[in-house]
């Protein structure tokens, strides 16, 4: 049996140094960001990036985000000199916005899954920034979960699922935003949201004027964040619009996920409230932890009460819809 990776305090500089040494040697380090935990490798080391795909059981067609520690450095890896890019970077970096732009020759094709565009972001987390600076190179990192499963927002989520397959886990506490970055393509004539996330469509529109978002667009996904089933619990999940729509059959154990406490709280095997005050930021931060808790108590079903689709509610509903999508034939995704 392989050894479980150490979980160490991300605030200690010597742990950042140790993590950077592992990355330099081609290893994998899970680290905190403000959105979710990332599974990092040296972005300029193709064999190290290849290990990310193996550990996550991630399909090779799914490109990986390149994390940088400052905007100037970012320009070496992708074309960020358009007015739109500059404005977006000024307004949202460091933060939960990934910009998809034409890649430079410095980025190995395995990172972008062979695409001509690269996704770049500067995370707003001191440990993530310290790690990138200590390595002296950008870090390629997807969310640190088995492909298709709910993203990790605490170090122990990573150690539970990938503990034996990473070299070190930096513990930076709970992720503040709790939902992944917004992935925005600047490669289209009008900026297009490929994945809703921590920066809202409204906020982006304020900067670039117009932004396109077609969450249910048909055709081949360009971002697997666009895959129908993703961010999924093993327990079947359904979205309901009124608490009254929820009827548990006798003998069935059903859990409820809701923004605020519903009037009637009996009959549920478990209830997860995302924010007592109905605050969507707090709800986003609590979403994945709540889904994980509901997923490990042997429920027959999870019912999620629909949230308002404004601001961060858009990203939250996006994740819930993908979680609710019918699984493809075969074993449950994320059952790693
Ligand atoms: O908040 C986040 O974005 C977290 C933290 C760790 O930074 N990362 C994350 O990575 O969620 P991942 O790989 O789990 O999801 C990234 C999404 C995927 O849907 C991927 O397909 C898309 O971004 N993406 C990355 N590079 C892209 C590119 N060049 N073109 C189109 N989509 C891209
Ligand atoms: Mg992911």
């Amino acid at each position: 049996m392989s050894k479980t990776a150490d979980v160490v305090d991300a605030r200690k500089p010597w742990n950042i140094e140790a993590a950077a040494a592992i990355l330099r040697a081609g290893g994998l380090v899970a680290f905190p960001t403000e959105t979710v935990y990332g599974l990092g490798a040296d972005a300029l080391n193709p064999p190290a990036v290849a290990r990310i795909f193996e550990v996550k059981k991630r399909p090779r067609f799914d490109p990986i985000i390149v994390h940088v520690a400052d905007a100037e450095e970012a320009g070496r890896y992708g074309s960020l000199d358009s007015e739109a890019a500059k404005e977006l970077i000024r307004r949202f970096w460091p933060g939960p916005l990934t910009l998809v732009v034409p890649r430079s020759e410095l980025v190995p094709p395995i990172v972008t899954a062979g695409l001509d565009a690269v996704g770049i972001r500067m995370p707003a987390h001191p440990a993530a920034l310290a790690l990138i600076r200590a390595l002296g190179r950008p870090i390629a990192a997807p969310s640190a979960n088995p492909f298709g499963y709910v993203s990790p927002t605490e170090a122990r989520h990573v150690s539970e699922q990938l503990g034996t397959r990473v070299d070190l886990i930096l513990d930076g506490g709970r992720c503040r935003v709790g939902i992944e970055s917004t992935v925005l393509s600047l490669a289209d004539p009008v900026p297009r949201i490929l994945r809703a996330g921590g920066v809202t469509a409204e906020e982006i529109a304020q900067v670039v004027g117009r932004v396109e978002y077609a969450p249910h667009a048909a055709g081949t996904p360009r971002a697997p964040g666009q895959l129908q089933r993703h961010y999924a619990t093993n327990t079947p999940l359904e979205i309901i619009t009124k608490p009254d729509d929820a009827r548990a059959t006798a003998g069935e154990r059903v859990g409820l996920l809701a923004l605020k406490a519903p009037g009637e709280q009996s009959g549920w095997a478990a209830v997860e409230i995302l924010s007592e005050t109905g605050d969507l930021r707090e709800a986003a931060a609590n979403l994945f932890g709540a889904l994980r808790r509901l997923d490990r108590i042997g429920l027959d079903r999870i019912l999620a009460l629909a949230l308002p689709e404004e601001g961060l509610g858009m990203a939250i509903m996006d994740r819930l819809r993908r979680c609710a999508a019918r699984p493809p034939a075969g074993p449950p995704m994320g059952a790693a």
Side-chain angles (χ1 to χ4, degrees):
M1 220 182 78
S2 34
K3 181 179 163 296
T4 303
D6 289 334
V7 180
V8 299
D9 188 345
R11 288 167 307 184
K12 307 289 187 218
W14 52 89
N15 288 333
I16 297 291
E17 283 307 326
I22 289 170
L23 293 176
R24 215 168 282 127
L28 299 186
V29 172
F31 63 99
T33 80
E34 80 282 27
T35 58
V36 300
Y37 276 74
L39 177 64
D42 175 351
L44 307 184
N45 179 341
V49 175
R51 270 192 70 199
I52 293 179
F53 287 91
E54 285 156 21
V55 163
K56 272 196 70 133
K57 303 198 193 320
R58 179 179 174 112
R60 287 291 181 115
F61 62 74
D62 189 356
I64 298 179
I65 296 171
V66 170
H67 297 71
V68 295
D70 69 54
E72 227 160 276
E73 182 202 348
R76 300 183 58 207
Y77 306 107
S79 316
L80 290 166
D81 32 45
S82 69
E83 273 316 305
K86 284 192 216 157
E87 283 294 321
L88 289 163
I89 287 171
R90 254 199 297 278
R91 171 77 176 77
F92 298 113
W93 280 14
L97 178 67
T98 295
L99 296 176
V100 173
V101 294
R103 82 176 163 97
S104 88
E105 293 291 307
L106 292 177
V107 180
I110 186 169
V111 173
T112 64
L115 298 175
D116 293 331
V118 60
I120 309 182
R121 90 172 186 102
M122 177 179 174
H125 194 292
L129 295 172
L131 184 61
I132 298 163
R133 289 186 184 125
L135 177 65
R137 286 159 167 257
I139 294 178
S143 53
N145 51 280
F147 184 74
Y149 195 70
V150 179
S151 298
T153 50
E154 294 179 38
R156 69 186 168 86
H157 296 160
V158 183
S159 78
E160 281 161 12
Q161 289 190 301
L162 300 179
T164 56
R165 287 182 273 166
V166 301
D167 299 304
L168 185 69
I169 299 171
L170 289 173
D171 186 350
R174 278 185 57 179
C175 300
R176 176 171 56 79
V177 176
I179 205 155
E180 301 86 345
S181 64
T182 302
V183 179
L184 182 72
S185 170
L186 295 181
D188 298 78
V190 175
R192 178 190 297 271
I193 293 177
L194 302 180
R195 176 180 72 182
V199 172
T200 67
E202 295 92 327
E203 288 172 315
I204 292 171
Q206 277 172 15
V207 174
V208 295
R210 224 175 109 206
V211 59
E212 283 180 4
Y213 180 44
H216 314 299
T220 321
R222 275 195 299 178
Q226 298 175 296
L227 287 180
Q228 265 205 347
R229 184 168 169 83
H230 209 78
Y231 311 106
T233 49
N234 292 319
T235 312
L237 178 144
E238 279 166 55
I239 298 173
I240 54 174
T241 47
K242 302 191 297 289
D244 305 346
D245 292 348
R247 293 266 176 270
T249 322
E252 213 191 11
R253 297 185 72 233
V254 182
L256 177 71
L257 178 84
L259 177 59
K260 291 192 275 193
E264 181 52 61
Q265 283 220 38
S266 60
W268 304 108
V271 176
E272 286 283 348
I273 301 305
L274 295 177
S275 165
E276 293 290 348
T277 60
D279 177 57
L280 291 171
R281 274 183 197 283
E282 189 183 359
N286 288 330
L287 178 68
F288 289 144
L291 284 172
R292 280 172 185 265
R293 283 191 294 275
L294 290 170
D295 202 23
R296 50 199 257 183
I297 51 177
L299 296 171
D300 297 302
R301 281 189 298 150
I302 300 170
L303 295 180
L305 191 53
L307 282 77
E309 285 198 64
E310 64 202 22
L312 284 178
M314 236 149 87
I316 296 171
M317 283 301 289
D318 168 79
R319 303 305 186 271
L320 289 177
R321 280 202 190 90
R322 287 181 214 285
C323 186
R326 285 168 68 82
M333 287 183 109

